[in-house]
Structures are given as C-alpha cells and as structure tokens.
Amino acid sequence: MCGITGWIDWERDLTKEGQIVQKMVDTMIDRGPDAGGVWLSPRAALGHRRLSVIDIDGGAQPMKRTIADKNYVLTYSGEIYNFMELRNELMQRGYHFTTRSDTEVLLFSFMEWGKNCVDRLNGIFAFAIWDEEREELFLVRDRLGVKPLYYAVRGSAILFGSEPKALLANPLVQPEVDEKGLAEIFLMTCRTPGQGFYKDVHELRAGHTISFQRMGSKMTQYWKLQSAPHLYDVEETAQHIRELMFDIVGRQLVSDVPICTLLSGGVDSSAVTSIASQILKEKGENVHTYSIDFKDSSDHFEKSEIHTGLDAPFVKTMADYLKSDHHDVVLDTPDLISDFLTPLYARDFPALGDIDTSIFLLFKAIKQKASVALSGESSDELFGGYPWFHSPEPTEFQALPWLYRTDFVGLLSPELHEQIRPKEYIFDHYQKAIAEVPYLPGENDRDRRLRELFYLNLVYFLPVLLDRKDRMSMAVGLEVRVPFCDHRLMEYGWNIPWEMKNTGGMEKGILRKALKGLLPEEVLYRKKSAYPISYNPSYVLEMRTRMESILQDSSSPVLPFIDREKLASMVRGANSDIHLIHGPVRAFEYFIQVNTWLKEYKVRIAV
C-alpha cells in the first residue's frame, strides 16, 4: 500500500514545479513511510510514497519502462494478488523483469494489453499511468473501491491523489465547499459515490477508469454487479464459497513483511483468521491475531439491536481454538480523548467519532509488530448480515436503510435546511442508486426489493466502511486486506437467492454452512454484533463538555449550520446514563469534528 499523486498540465512546464509536487507527495508520508519518489517531465509530474510489502529492495516508484521507444510511467497503490500468474504470462510474451514486485507486473500488463489490463487484475488498487507518446493520463480504481483516488480539473491542469490533502497541497485546489459538499458533510450517512467533499474535487468511483488527454476526458465503468440465475443447490453453493475463501485468503497472505489478522470473535473475522491459520500452519507458521476492547467494558456495556454482546468472550474462544499468538489492545477514555481529532486529519474531513479513533489506535498498536493485516469487511453487505435485511420496516420503506440509526437532520439550522434541502437530497440520492440496480427478469416484488437492499449496501454503504478502514490504517502505514471484497466472491454471492443466503433461518446462513468445521459452534452461530464502541460515562461527559464550549463561543464556525437551541438542550440533558447509539453523544462527536475541520482547514463556503 502506498500514496500516489500527480499533476498533468498541457500549458505549463512541470519540470519547474518540482517543489510543489514534492509538497503533494510529502502530505502522504504516513501512507508510505518507507520511501518516496518524484518523476518530472514537461507535461506530467508523478509522485509516490511507498509502504514496502513485496520486494522490499525493488519496486521503487514512480516506475518507468520503455518499449519500442515509447515511455510509460506508473504510480500505484495497492496489491495485485494474481501478479505471479500475470508475470509468468508476460515472461512468455518476451518481457524481462528486473524486480520481484507486482508494480512492474502491473506496468508491463498495461504495456501489453493496454487499458483492458484492468480486466485481468485481481486485487485492491488505485493507479495512474502516463503514456508519454500519447500525452495521456490513465487513472484506475479497483472494483470495490478499497483503495481511494481523488482527482480535480483546473483549467489545463489535472491533479490526482490518494487523499484530498495531496490535492490541497497544490495552490490550484482550495478548501472550498459548495452546497453539494455541505450536504455530503452534514448528511453524513448519505455519501454519494464519486462525489468528493471539496468543490470540484471528485472521487473516482469504484470499478471505473478515466483517461485525460489534451482534448478532453473519457470515463469508463469496467466492472459492475450483473444479475443472473443461480444454478447451484445449497451444498454446492456452500462448498464453492469455502473453496473461494481458501484461494482468496491464500493469495492475500503473500507478504515479505509480518502479517496478522483482525479478530472480533464474529463470523467474518473468525472465518478469515481460521483459514489463514490453516494455511500458515502448513508453512510452519502461527497466525497472529489482534482484537480491540475498552477498559471496564463489561461494567458499562449497553445491549442494543446492533450491539448484541461483548466481543471479548468470543475472541478468547477463537484464539484458544486456533492457538493463535493473540494480542488484546485495551483502550481507556484518555486514549480516545488524546487522539480524538487524529482521524479528522487522516480523512481531511469530519470523522465518525470514537469508532474511528479506536480503530486508528488498534492499527497503531498492530503497526509496532506487523505491516499487513487481514480483515472481514463486506461479508454483511454480501450475505445479508445487517438487521435491516431481516426487519420488514426498512424493507418496505423507500429510503437508505441505515438512515434509521444515524440521522442528524433534525439538528441542522433552518438556514442550512433551506440550502441543502435534506429530504430532497436524500431522496434523490436514493433514486439514483435504485436506478443502477441490475434486476433479474422475472423476479417478484419481494426479491426485487431485496436485490435493491443488497445493491444499496454494497455500492453505497460499503464504500464508507472501506474508506474508514483505508484512512485509519494508512495513517499509521499499515496495509489492511479485505478477502470478502474479492470480486469473484462478490460476483458469485450477488446472485445467491435470499432463501439460500438465509439458510437455516439465520443471517448469513449460507456462509455459516460454508464455514462448518472451521469455527467453534458458539462462534459459528454467534448473532452479529457491530464494531464495539466505548460506553464509559467519562467519554460521554468529555464530549458534552467540548460541545458546550463550542456552543458558548460565538466564533465557532459550525454554529451557522446547527440548531443551537436543540443542541444546548441536549447538552443540558446529557448525563452518564446516556445511550451512545441513539443519544446525543454521537451528534456531539460529529459536530465537534465539523467545527474543527472548518477552522483548521480554513474551509470557505462557496454558495
């Protein structure tokens, strides 16, 4: 994993802009702590920060290769899991490799197959290739959007980067936010794929490429979910899922640096860990596992619809079962407070509160001993693990189902309501998403609605989780791989009928069946519980104090956007018995972040 950035300009000599390009690169030292590089030419400047994972001594970037006097330059972030197969094929076609890196395989793949090379890649990636002869920039993002990529057009200039901060380091891009940006910020659970927060700064959508030449640009969607009848019975389906998972995890365990897994004691992380353990034991190695908990969590835990129980007992069961080298990372309120704003600077926009802070601190602890971790994201989206898949109300309601649980619209000021028109914006967002759904001909109304739910979760909700995982891990130079995001599993799982996904009348029933014998029974049939949060009253009181301070300071930049009276009433009513999911603390966390972001980034509202 790495950080990439670049600047293309058909009217400026970029060989004279090395200092600015270096500043763009330097913003991403955390993403790539091991090395950095800049490549300059009159029309193109590419930059790179490297986290060395495969071929530590080779694979330096930006990487340039020449064929038939034509020059190609690559800057790339990610991992190509089938790079050895591609390397062997390219060698048969006459290519000579000077490194063991997947970087060189990727560049040669483009030189051999052109833009169609993306169809051959299995991995997580964001990359840019400059074709010097054609003076063309080719930007690519992986199928599920695991790795981020932003770009902006400013006159004759094209700027891109793994994170907004790389673009903001160039004077051509200013921290401005228009009405769309305000809507994305304040309707935090209504993220629009492709829509950046800053004015005219775009996020390349997952599964898309975009090419820039002097005369214009062309965007292409090279991958999307496609619906087809599922022709296999329950036993065949479970067996195929199991075989796919072993192949996927095996590929993702390739690393020249220490590797581990995240273990929550839930089905998804336990599945990845168990398979990794088996594969590593065949090599004479033992799996290292990491989990997160909070001090005195058993004293403060509050059971809810999405937090059904504490992770710790199931983590211990799983670690003992596999005899893993296990590491518990236990956090206390002072830990969360000291790094409360760190995720904001990692994201370049407001973060999600203690769930961002705690996972950042988990990754920081992991980084002391490992540089790669495997995680369980996207299983719930693919197999139907969330409560809203099993509750009739969200199934019938024509909206984004997760808005039921985190809706701050009622706390926004009347003026902001008038500007962004929340209900209309959310409904339009929903309608655009539904218009993309690839229905299966002949489906009944119920199955059509469930397909819509799966699409919303995979294409609109999952990117929020993947973005969080990328930013918090790369903020400490840790690469997190997500086996359930393998596109082969996605394509297969997408078309498994609901009755089969729900085998045994339990969420993710088909996955549990596929994992039979790999997990202890109590873990295999554990009811889903969401990522843990802190229930410590001292954390709630700290957030209340900070929110109160913002409300009392007339210069606080967030004030024009919030309903001060409602929030002041919430501050007065907040106490140590507050419920952290539906209570005020979630709002306090977020508006504190927004206030800091507006102030520290010197955000200008361009409406």
Side-chain angles (χ1 to χ4, degrees):
M1 298 300 168
C2 307
I4 68 172
T5 190
W7 181 4
I8 310 300
D9 202 315
W10 286 276
E11 296 181 4
R12 185 188 305 216
D13 183 357
L14 295 181
T15 61
K16 300 177 181 178
E17 306 295 345
Q19 190 173 14
I20 294 177
V21 177
Q22 189 63 56
K23 287 181 179 179
M24 296 169 69
V25 172
D26 289 346
T27 63
M28 295 184 295
I29 287 177
D30 289 339
R31 292 189 73 91
D34 298 326
V38 170
W39 180 85
L40 299 175
S41 73
R43 299 280 74 84
L46 304 184
H48 188 265
R49 286 298 315 185
R50 187 182 184 203
L51 172 62
S52 300
V53 172
I54 296 175
D55 190 6
I56 296 173
D57 296 327
Q61 297 186 52
M63 180 178 283
K64 178 182 177 181
R65 293 293 183 268
T66 302
I67 185 170
D69 296 325
K70 297 178 182 178
N71 296 322
Y72 303 89
V73 188
L74 166 71
T75 183
Y76 149 62
S77 170
E79 297 290 344
I80 307 300
Y81 300 129
N82 63 333
F83 80 100
M84 287 304 298
E85 293 99 316
L86 292 172
R87 178 190 174 99
N88 291 335
E89 185 174 356
L90 288 163
M91 288 176 67
Q92 292 174 5
R93 291 172 178 261
Y95 286 85
H96 175 68
F97 288 85
T98 59
T99 75
R100 295 187 297 107
S101 70
D102 59 343
T103 304
E104 193 173 23
V105 172
L106 176 56
L107 184 50
F108 281 160
S109 294
F110 178 83
M111 293 165 69
E112 176 65 21
W113 296 299
K115 296 172 184 176
N116 292 331
C117 72
V118 296
D119 298 322
R120 296 172 175 263
L121 305 178
N122 179 317
I124 52 178
F125 47 81
F127 64 85
I129 294 180
W130 174 248
D131 182 333
E132 199 163 49
E133 182 185 55
R134 292 169 55 87
E135 291 192 343
E136 181 179 36
L137 176 70
F138 183 52
L139 299 180
V140 183
R141 194 172 180 205
D142 64 66
R143 294 172 178 85
L144 273 296
V146 179
K147 304 314 296 178
L149 186 56
Y150 294 84
Y151 69 93
V153 180
R154 296 291 186 270
S156 62
I158 313 297
L159 301 130
F160 67 88
S162 295
E163 297 179 0
K165 58 173 57 70
L167 279 67
L168 292 170
N170 190 302
L172 295 175
V173 179
Q174 295 299 311
E176 297 180 318
V177 175
D178 57 14
E179 289 179 355
K180 286 184 178 179
L182 286 175
E184 295 289 321
I185 288 292
F186 286 98
L187 306 177
M188 57 171 288
T189 52
C190 189
R191 288 289 310 279
T192 305
Q195 174 73 48
F197 289 103
Y198 296 97
K199 183 180 179 182
D200 295 326
V201 172
H202 309 282
E203 179 187 53
L204 184 61
R205 284 194 68 170
H208 283 67
T209 73
I210 187 168
S211 300
F212 293 96
Q213 291 182 300
R214 184 186 293 267
M215 301 306 295
S217 64
K218 181 182 179 180
M219 185 175 292
T220 301
Q221 183 175 10
Y222 70 90
W223 184 85
K224 59 183 177 182
L225 294 165
Q226 297 183 0
S227 298
H230 186 73
L231 304 177
Y232 309 95
D233 63 24
V234 171
E235 296 297 332
E236 292 170 324
T237 300
Q239 182 61 29
H240 188 63
I241 291 171
R242 188 183 182 105
E243 290 171 356
L244 268 177
M245 286 300 298
F246 268 89
D247 180 73
I248 292 164
V249 173
R251 290 175 181 273
Q252 297 192 19
L253 285 173
V254 175
S255 173
D256 290 341
V257 295
I259 193 168
C260 66
T261 70
L262 306 184
L263 181 61
S264 69
V267 173
D268 310 328
S269 67
S270 297
V272 171
T273 300
S274 180
I275 294 170
S277 178
Q278 284 198 24
I279 295 171
L280 289 173
K281 281 180 180 177
E282 291 175 1
K283 302 177 182 179
E285 302 174 22
N286 201 27
V287 67
H288 284 257
T289 53
Y290 284 81
S291 67
I292 190 168
D293 200 359
F294 299 93
K295 184 180 179 182
D296 300 325
S297 58
S298 59
D299 295 335
H300 303 298
F301 177 74
E302 297 180 22
K303 189 174 183 179
S304 70
E305 180 187 19
I306 64 173
H307 288 96
T308 59
L310 291 169
D311 286 345
F314 297 95
V315 169
K316 185 178 188 307
T317 296
M318 197 65 206
D320 290 346
Y321 178 76
L322 296 176
K323 296 181 174 58
S324 68
D325 289 324
H326 185 67
H327 313 264
D328 284 311
V329 178
V330 181
L331 305 176
D332 199 0
T333 295
D335 304 315
L336 298 173
I337 297 303
S338 64
D339 272 297
F340 175 68
L341 293 173
T342 302
L344 162 65
Y345 302 115
R347 286 178 174 270
D348 298 313
F349 48 80
L352 302 177
D354 79 324
I355 66 170
D356 272 6
T357 311
S358 62
I359 201 168
F360 164 81
L361 291 169
L362 170 63
F363 292 151
K364 185 177 179 181
I366 292 174
K367 180 61 179 179
Q368 296 175 16
K369 295 185 178 180
S371 291
V372 179
L374 271 61
S375 184
E377 266 76 13
S378 87
S379 173
D380 289 311
E381 291 78 11
L382 181 59
F383 292 107
Y386 292 119
W388 49 78
F389 282 103
H390 306 271
S391 170
E393 184 181 11
T395 306
E396 296 169 0
F397 189 66
Q398 301 293 300
L400 303 172
W402 50 91
L403 288 182
Y404 279 81
R405 288 150 176 85
T406 49
D407 186 357
F408 297 159
V409 172
L411 299 176
L412 305 181
S413 69
E415 293 79 11
L416 184 58
H417 268 267
E418 185 65 28
Q419 278 185 306
I420 65 176
R421 305 180 72 84
K423 290 184 178 179
E424 291 87 344
Y425 192 88
I426 292 172
F427 183 72
D428 182 60
H429 183 92
Y430 171 79
Q431 289 294 107
K432 288 179 180 177
I434 292 299
E436 299 173 357
V437 177
Y439 296 107
L440 185 65
E443 284 182 313
N444 60 40
D445 289 345
R446 175 177 172 273
D447 288 341
R448 281 173 62 89
R449 181 55 183 152
L450 283 165
R451 193 174 292 276
E452 290 174 354
L453 271 182
F454 276 105
Y455 189 86
L456 291 170
N457 279 268
L458 286 167
V459 181
Y460 281 73
F461 186 60
L462 178 60
V464 176
L465 304 183
L466 294 177
D467 186 69
R468 166 180 175 252
K469 184 62 62 74
D470 173 84
R471 299 304 179 82
M472 298 305 102
S473 61
M474 295 307 293
V476 297
L478 176 72
E479 174 185 318
V480 176
R481 299 173 179 175
V482 279
F484 283 103
C485 284
D486 186 287
H487 70 279
R488 297 169 298 161
L489 183 61
M490 280 287 166
E491 291 168 352
Y492 188 77
W494 168 253
N495 285 306
I496 298 174
W498 172 248
E499 289 75 15
M500 195 176 290
K501 285 185 177 179
N502 215 35
T503 293
M506 190 172 191
E507 77 265 4
K508 298 188 290 189
I510 191 64
L511 177 63
R512 297 175 198 271
K513 185 174 181 64
L515 299 172
K516 190 77 173 175
L518 294 176
L519 311 179
E521 293 285 299
E522 57 267 44
V523 174
L524 183 63
Y525 296 110
R526 180 191 178 191
K527 188 173 179 60
K528 176 179 172 54
S529 190
Y531 179 85
I533 58 176
S534 171
Y535 292 89
N536 196 312
S538 61
Y539 180 79
V540 179
L541 295 174
E542 174 67 22
M543 293 300 105
R544 182 183 70 174
T545 300
R546 291 193 182 196
M547 190 73 244
E548 184 175 37
S549 177
I550 288 171
L551 292 172
Q552 292 176 351
D553 182 357
S554 61
S555 67
S556 298
V558 75
L559 294 183
F561 304 108
I562 59 177
D563 188 320
R564 296 175 68 175
E565 286 304 314
K566 284 185 179 179
L567 275 162
S569 177
M570 290 168 66
V571 166
R572 289 192 295 270
N575 55 60
S576 61
D577 295 324
I578 192 172
H579 192 291
L580 292 179
I581 296 298
H582 302 289
V585 73
R586 294 276 83 99
F588 296 168
E589 286 179 316
Y590 195 66
F591 291 133
I592 293 165
Q593 296 263 347
V594 173
N595 191 70
T596 305
W597 173 69
L598 290 168
K599 183 185 298 184
E600 297 294 328
Y601 279 71
K602 297 180 173 58
V603 176
R604 188 174 75 87
I605 309 302
V607 294

